[in-house]
Amino acid sequence: MTMSEFTKQSLEEGFDEVLVRAWPANQHQETHTHAFDVSVLVIKGSYSLTVGDQVRHLRAGDSFRLARNIAHAETYGPEGATIWVARAN
């Protein structure tokens, strides 16, 4: 999927903002929430998403959705991660 296709699909699904985010290697974000829903596609690298006691290990090509106000933590892999993020604010 291209960034253009991801953006088009996300806007059609009701998301109103699409961003590219790049995270450095081995960075950890403590448990936090967002005031928006997200749809994410991992483009490069890897990271782990922790929601409650569930940990998802994500790599390039993997995707997920997360509703607003869901507490989660993120840990980026040894090569960092680049993701496309659609937000519904």
Side-chain angles (χ1 to χ4, degrees), residues 8-59:
K8 182 178 185 284
Q9 177 182 329
S10 297
L11 294 174
E12 288 172 353
E13 292 177 357
F15 293 91
D16 54 7
E17 181 180 25
V18 178
L19 307 165
V20 176
R21 299 293 307 258
W23 298 100
N26 302 313
Q27 181 172 332
H28 177 73
Q29 292 191 25
E30 296 294 333
T31 301
H32 61 283
T33 62
H34 299 289
F36 44 81
D37 298 333
V38 297
S39 174
V40 174
L41 178 61
V42 181
I43 299 306
K44 182 179 175 185
S46 64
Y47 76 98
S48 297
L49 174 72
T50 303
V51 178
D53 61 355
Q54 298 291 317
V55 179
R56 286 190 62 190
H57 300 286
L58 303 155
R59 294 193 225 184

Side-chain angles (χ1 to χ4, degrees), residues 55-68:
V55 179
R56 286 190 62 190
H57 300 286
L58 303 155
R59 294 193 225 184
D62 292 338
S63 63
F64 69 91
R65 291 186 179 212
L66 192 64
R68 69 188 70 220

